[in-house]
């Protein structure tokens, strides 16, 4: 290869820009160029912040994170500590025997499933007291389970025959099921009633326990249950056929499927205070079948704080990050004071010598 720059190029060789954009020869054939269109954005020549992470800046940043995160973590833990929570697992207590005996008993229509529980209040519970039921090892996030529903049918009365996505719970006795699908079919149907040791009845308010957007947009006011739980195998609770779906809030709460196999769903609210040392008598109907898949059922009574329910994770996470930043800030400060590193002159950096970045 001739490296002499004065050697003329082959006159017969085509020019790389012939026929390109802006070529004076309009008759020359056009040639696609792979060169991208120039812009300051694609060439990364826009003005940018290029901070120099000196020890003082790094230590100051860690100290700032420490000052912000540790108080938030302490406040979160204190708020979580003020929440009073009572958790009672009752599935094994209310029903004894082998797994097959439990399944046979829970599926029997004639068997008496009433169970009595007593809960002791260790700390004063201020209203409102939220009543939850908790299920363990129940995979509401299973793909076939989640898909087995018809949102159009739940919303519009004219779409009650739209059950193509609800198999295998789409029809019973040759008629469409409303609401159809496995999600509605497996509706939780244990019930609870409460009273205190001094025979004070604790009424449960079940209004507005679901999301307002679900009541207004996802469930129709003119859609009524029809042919529900009329198949050969009953999955869970039944619905009142004279009440529209947007008022059956137990169903609405259940139909918002959970992402994890252990979840809680709101059953209702107790709107009176319960004093420390009182005993709550619970009369429950143990109807829901969790025995066939080794699930667990728990009754949860809980108050709330400004942060919500009882949750120590948020406070621990903030304290962990704040403590780690404090440790790093202390370590870097000691190193900087004991054995400092000589810094270079920032005027020699490329963006200081050539502010345009070229």
């Amino acid at each position: 290869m001739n490296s002499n720059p004065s050697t003329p190029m082959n006159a017969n060789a085509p020019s790389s820009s012939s026929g390109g954009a802006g070529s004076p020869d309009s008759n020359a054939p056009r040639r696609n160029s792979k060169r991208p269109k120039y812009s300051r954005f694609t060439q990364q020549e826009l003005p940018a912040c290029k901070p120099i992470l000196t020890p003082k800046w790094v230590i100051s940043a860690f100290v700032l994170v420490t000052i912000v995160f540790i108080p938030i973590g302490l406040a979160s833990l204190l708020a979580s500590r003020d929440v009073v929570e009572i958790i009672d697992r009752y599935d094994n207590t209310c029903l004894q025997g082998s797994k097959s005996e439990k399944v046979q008993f829970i599926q029997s229509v004639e068997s008496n499933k009433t169970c009595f529980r007593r809960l002791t209040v260790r700390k004063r519970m201020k209203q409102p007291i939220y009543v939850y039921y908790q299920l363990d090892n129940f995979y509401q996030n299973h793909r076939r389970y989640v898909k087995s529903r018809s949102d159009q049918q739940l919303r519009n009365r004219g779409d009650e025959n739209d059950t193509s996505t609800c198999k295998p719970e789409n029809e019973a006795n040759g008629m469409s099921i409303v609401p159809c699908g496995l999600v509605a079919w497996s509706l939780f149907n244990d019930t609870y009633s409460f009273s205190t040791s001094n025979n004070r009845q604790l009424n449960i308010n079940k209004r507005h326990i679901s999301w307002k957007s679900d009541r207004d947009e996802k469930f129709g006011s003119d859609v009524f249950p029809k042919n529900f739980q009329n198949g050969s195998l009953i999955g869970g609770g039944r619905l009142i056929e004279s009440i529209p779906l947007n008022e059956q809030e137990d169903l609405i709460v259940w139909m918002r499927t959970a992402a994890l196999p252990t979840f809680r769903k709101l059953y209702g609210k107790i709107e009176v205070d319960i004093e420390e040392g009182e005993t709550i008598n619970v009369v429950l109907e143990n109807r829901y079948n969790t025995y066939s898949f080794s699930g667990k059922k728990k009754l949860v009574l809980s108050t709330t704080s400004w942060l919500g329910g009882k949750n120590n994770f948020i406070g621990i996470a903030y304290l962990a990050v704040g403590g780690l930043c404090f440790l790093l800030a202390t370590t870097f400060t000691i190193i900087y004071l004991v054995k400092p590193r000589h810094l270079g002159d920032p005027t020699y950096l490329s963006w200081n010598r050539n502010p345009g970045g070229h």
Side-chain angles (χ1 to χ4, degrees), residues 59-100:
I59 293 172
S60 299
F62 281 129
V63 171
L64 178 62
V65 174
T66 301
I67 294 174
V68 173
F69 274 48
I70 288 183
I72 294 178
L74 291 175
S76 301
L77 282 180
L78 290 176
S80 179
R81 190 188 65 176
D82 291 338
V83 174
V84 184
E85 189 175 82
I86 301 175
I87 303 176
D88 179 53
R89 180 183 175 184
Y90 62 89
D91 54 306
N92 285 338
T93 307
C94 292
L95 188 55
Q96 303 292 331
S98 64
K99 180 178 178 179
S100 58

Side-chain angles (χ1 to χ4, degrees), residues 175-215:
M175 296 185 296
S176 299
I177 299 174
V178 182
C180 65
L182 289 174
V183 184
W185 174 78
S186 59
L187 174 64
F188 187 81
N189 62 339
D190 283 7
T191 58
Y192 314 103
S193 62
F194 304 92
S195 62
T196 60
S197 53
N198 55 4
N199 295 325
R200 180 176 56 145
Q201 193 69 27
L202 301 177
N203 297 321
I204 302 176
N205 183 7
K206 299 179 72 69
R207 287 185 56 82
H208 297 166
I209 61 174
S210 60
W211 290 19
K212 186 177 185 300
S213 58
D214 289 353
R215 297 193 302 269

Side-chain angles (χ1 to χ4, degrees), residues 2-143:
N2 190 350
S3 60
N4 188 352
S6 63
T7 302
M9 296 178 64
N10 188 351
N12 297 325
S15 173
S16 62
S17 61
S18 62
S23 174
D25 187 4
S26 60
N27 295 324
R30 297 181 62 85
R31 181 176 179 181
N32 294 329
S33 175
K34 295 182 179 179
R35 178 179 296 176
K37 183 180 178 180
Y38 172 80
S39 72
R40 297 185 67 189
F41 175 76
T42 57
Q43 297 303 318
Q44 300 185 15
E45 296 176 357
L46 293 174
C49 177
K50 301 174 182 178
I52 302 174
L53 298 180
T54 61
K56 292 181 180 179
W57 274 104
V58 173
I59 293 172
S60 299
F62 281 129
V63 171
L64 178 62
V65 174
T66 301
I67 294 174
V68 173
F69 274 48
I70 288 183
I72 294 178
L74 291 175
S76 301
L77 282 180
L78 290 176
S80 179
R81 190 188 65 176
D82 291 338
V83 174
V84 184
E85 189 175 82
I86 301 175
I87 303 176
D88 179 53
R89 180 183 175 184
Y90 62 89
D91 54 306
N92 285 338
T93 307
C94 292
L95 188 55
Q96 303 292 331
S98 64
K99 180 178 178 179
S100 58
E101 292 174 343
K102 292 178 180 178
V103 173
Q104 183 179 2
F105 178 87
I106 208 73
Q107 290 179 345
S108 174
V109 180
E110 293 81 11
S111 58
N112 183 14
K113 301 178 177 60
T114 304
C115 181
F116 301 93
R117 305 289 296 161
R118 300 186 69 182
L119 310 176
T120 302
V121 180
R122 303 295 182 183
K123 188 177 179 181
R124 184 172 185 265
M125 303 182 73
K126 298 179 181 179
Q127 63 168 317
I129 302 169
Y130 293 90
V131 182
Y132 300 92
Y133 55 88
Q134 177 176 319
L135 296 180
D136 295 4
N137 200 35
F138 191 112
Y139 289 82
Q140 267 198 322
N141 59 350
H142 192 282
R143 182 180 62 85

Side-chain angles (χ1 to χ4, degrees), residues 52-55 336 340-352:
I52 302 174
L53 298 180
T54 61
Y336 179 67
R341 180 181 178 183
H342 182 70
L343 300 179
D345 189 352
T347 59
Y348 286 95
L349 295 173
S350 61
W351 53 82
N352 288 331

Side-chain angles (χ1 to χ4, degrees), residues 308-328:
K310 195 174 188 64
N311 186 356
N312 293 329
F313 174 78
I314 297 178
I316 294 173
Y318 271 101
L319 287 177
V321 174
L324 178 61
C325 290
F326 177 75
L327 178 63
L328 292 174

